[in-house]
Amino acid sequence: MVHGDIGTTVTKLILGEQREYPQASGEFSSLFVELTVALKQISYEVNKAGLLNVLGKAGGRNVQDEEQQKLDVMANETIIRTMEYTGYLCGMASEENEKVIEIPDAYPKGKYLLVFDPLDGSSNIDANVSIGTIFGIYRKGGGTGKCGEDDFLLPGRELVAAGYVIYGSSTMLVISTGHGVNGFTLDPNVGEFILSHKDIKTPSKGKIYSVNEGNYQYWDEKTKRAIDYFKEKDEATKRPYTARYIGSLVADFHRNLLYGGLFIYPRDSKSPKGKLRLLYEANPLAFIVENAGGTATDGKNRIMDIQPDGLHMRVPLVIGSREDVERVTAMLNG
Ligand code: AHM
Ligand code: MG
């Protein structure tokens, strides 16, 4: 059931959902509100980055051996420092940290697990292209206390909630707690996420395909054929699809969610396991797309049924409108 009318705040919507479950302790709602505080801080920093001359590299390399941008570090620290204090989490996992982020001994522990990519698409930062934050929330299996890597190796179907923020021409938060998908636009004057896109449903078939075709020579024949289809006349529309690729997953995904279409990052000979990460990129977006009526696979299996083998496991990703994803998945397996 979807709560709230256009113009309501994200806090009100989450509280409304909580009241549907009289046995709920309110911890999830409080956790979520704290998370939105961190997300608003990141939005503020991203927006003023150009002004403050903080663009550029921080000098370090993260666990994936990628250059860390200053804003990546800032976003990661903002989420960790905000959320470790709440008492609702037993640990966190971030794209920027090799191991589980433990809650300091001084703070109480809770029953939830937070996974996140603090600033996705960060190679686009210096060009002022839209970037995003992706997150997922799980409930720990059994009790509170500290948690280790094994606690995080859960399939996406166990997610309690997931969402992303897109730092674009305005900042938007898109979330699902498993009851549809709602989009909120940050009103900078009052500092609140306001419901602007109620009960988002993605079209069952789109006209857009998004893939880095520069990798064409690294694809196998089935992948080439599956992508070539979109340049031919589609059986239904008698027109080829439109190509759109920003190179910023949240931005590519968000556009396709609203307009219909699909995003594909297939495995290739450079990245035989795929590029994108299951825990904090593919799973949260798969949770969102399924709640909006779309679907997501790794080219064969449902993304949310994949058993992770590590915090930073990579997967191929085919995600978006149901008919389009099913077509590609069938062609990859034909
Ligand atoms: P990041 O987490 O290091 O920012 O990398 C993920 C990004 C996604 O946002 C985007 O979809 C993809 O990498 C683009 O990859 P490519 O440049 O290979 O097309
Ligand atoms: Mg990322």
Side-chain angles (χ1 to χ4, degrees), residues 17-33:
E17 288 191 345
Q18 178 197 312
R19 286 172 195 163
E20 292 272 297
Y21 303 94
Q23 72 280 18
S25 65
E27 283 175 56
F28 174 78
S29 303
S30 304
L31 165 95
F32 203 89
V33 170

Side-chain angles (χ1 to χ4, degrees), residues 4-20:
D5 296 319
I6 295 290
T8 197
T9 64
V10 66
T11 306
K12 209 168 169 185
L13 184 125
I14 293 291
L15 284 172
E17 288 191 345
Q18 178 197 312
R19 286 172 195 163
E20 292 272 297

Side-chain angles (χ1 to χ4, degrees), residues 67-76 96 118-119 122 125:
E67 282 179 330
Q68 279 184 310
Q69 307 279 333
K70 278 181 184 171
L71 283 172
D72 288 37
V73 177
M74 177 281 304
N76 199 41
E96 301 296 334
L119 216 50
S122 51
I125 289 173

Side-chain angles (χ1 to χ4, degrees), residues 99-143:
K99 298 203 163 87
V100 168
I101 303 158
E102 294 184 0
I103 305 302
D105 288 338
Y107 303 145
K109 323 284 178 287
K111 63 182 176 207
Y112 289 101
L113 305 160
L114 177 67
V115 297
F116 59 96
D117 180 351
L119 216 50
D120 185 70
S122 51
S123 65
N124 287 308
I125 289 173
D126 285 355
N128 213 357
V129 170
S130 296
I131 48 181
T133 298
I134 309 172
F135 61 89
I137 299 168
Y138 291 91
R139 199 175 284 111
K140 183 176 184 274

Side-chain angles (χ1 to χ4, degrees), residues 53-177:
N53 195 24
V54 296
L55 294 176
K57 318 258 185 295
R61 296 184 84 80
N62 70 4
V63 59
Q64 335 275 350
D65 203 28
E66 298 156 332
E67 282 179 330
Q68 279 184 310
Q69 307 279 333
K70 278 181 184 171
L71 283 172
D72 288 37
V73 177
M74 177 281 304
N76 199 41
E77 288 294 309
T78 300
I79 295 176
I80 294 170
R81 297 286 93 85
T82 305
M83 301 310 295
E84 68 183 1
Y85 189 76
T86 61
Y88 304 126
L89 293 176
C90 78
M92 293 176 257
S94 163
E95 178 176 324
E96 301 296 334
N97 295 67
E98 183 182 358
K99 298 203 163 87
V100 168
I101 303 158
E102 294 184 0
I103 305 302
D105 288 338
Y107 303 145
K109 323 284 178 287
K111 63 182 176 207
Y112 289 101
L113 305 160
L114 177 67
V115 297
F116 59 96
D117 180 351
L119 216 50
D120 185 70
S122 51
S123 65
N124 287 308
I125 289 173
D126 285 355
N128 213 357
V129 170
S130 296
I131 48 181
T133 298
I134 309 172
F135 61 89
I137 299 168
Y138 291 91
R139 199 175 284 111
K140 183 176 184 274
T144 53
K146 283 198 174 174
C147 45
E149 178 162 335
D150 285 353
D151 291 294
F152 283 83
L153 303 185
L154 300 166
R157 62 173 183 267
E158 305 274 338
L159 278 162
V160 172
Y164 60 86
V165 177
I166 177 167
Y167 309 102
S169 47
S170 56
T171 295
M172 265 195 78
L173 169 67
V174 176
I175 59 163
S176 177
T177 56

Side-chain angles (χ1 to χ4, degrees), residues 204-333:
S204 59
K205 183 175 173 358
K207 295 179 184 150
I208 296 171
Y209 77 107
S210 307
V211 64
N212 184 347
E213 281 196 275
N215 290 329
Y216 196 86
Q217 63 173 298
Y218 304 118
W219 295 340
D220 62 20
E221 288 309 310
K222 279 185 181 173
T223 305
K224 287 179 179 173
R225 274 204 301 279
I227 307 294
D228 283 343
Y229 175 84
F230 296 106
K231 291 180 282 203
E232 296 159 11
K233 285 186 179 163
D234 177 53
E235 284 161 11
T237 63
K238 310 293 178 219
R239 296 177 56 182
Y241 280 58
T242 292
R244 291 283 183 271
Y245 192 75
I246 296 169
S248 189
L249 177 61
V250 168
D252 279 310
F253 174 83
H254 181 69
R255 180 201 53 239
N256 293 358
L257 180 76
L258 297 183
Y259 296 169
L262 81 171
F263 174 94
I264 312 147
Y265 209 111
R267 62 167 54 86
D268 60 40
S269 57
K270 284 190 292 124
S271 314
K273 295 181 173 173
K275 175 179 181 183
L276 298 170
R277 277 52 65 111
L278 177 62
L279 254 70
Y280 42 78
E281 292 177 325
N283 267 337
L285 298 185
F287 187 81
I288 292 287
V289 89
E290 286 202 10
N291 272 283
T295 192
T297 73
D298 67 350
K300 192 169 187 182
N301 305 302
R302 180 185 181 223
I303 285 290
M304 289 203 291
D305 283 339
I306 298 171
Q307 175 60 46
D309 62 16
L311 293 182
H312 302 286
M313 179 182 175
R314 294 175 191 266
V315 282
L317 182 61
V318 185
I319 187 165
S321 294
R322 180 168 297 279
E323 287 178 38
D324 296 319
V325 172
E326 284 172 356
R327 173 187 293 284
V328 168
T329 304
M331 288 183 81
L332 291 176
N333 289 288

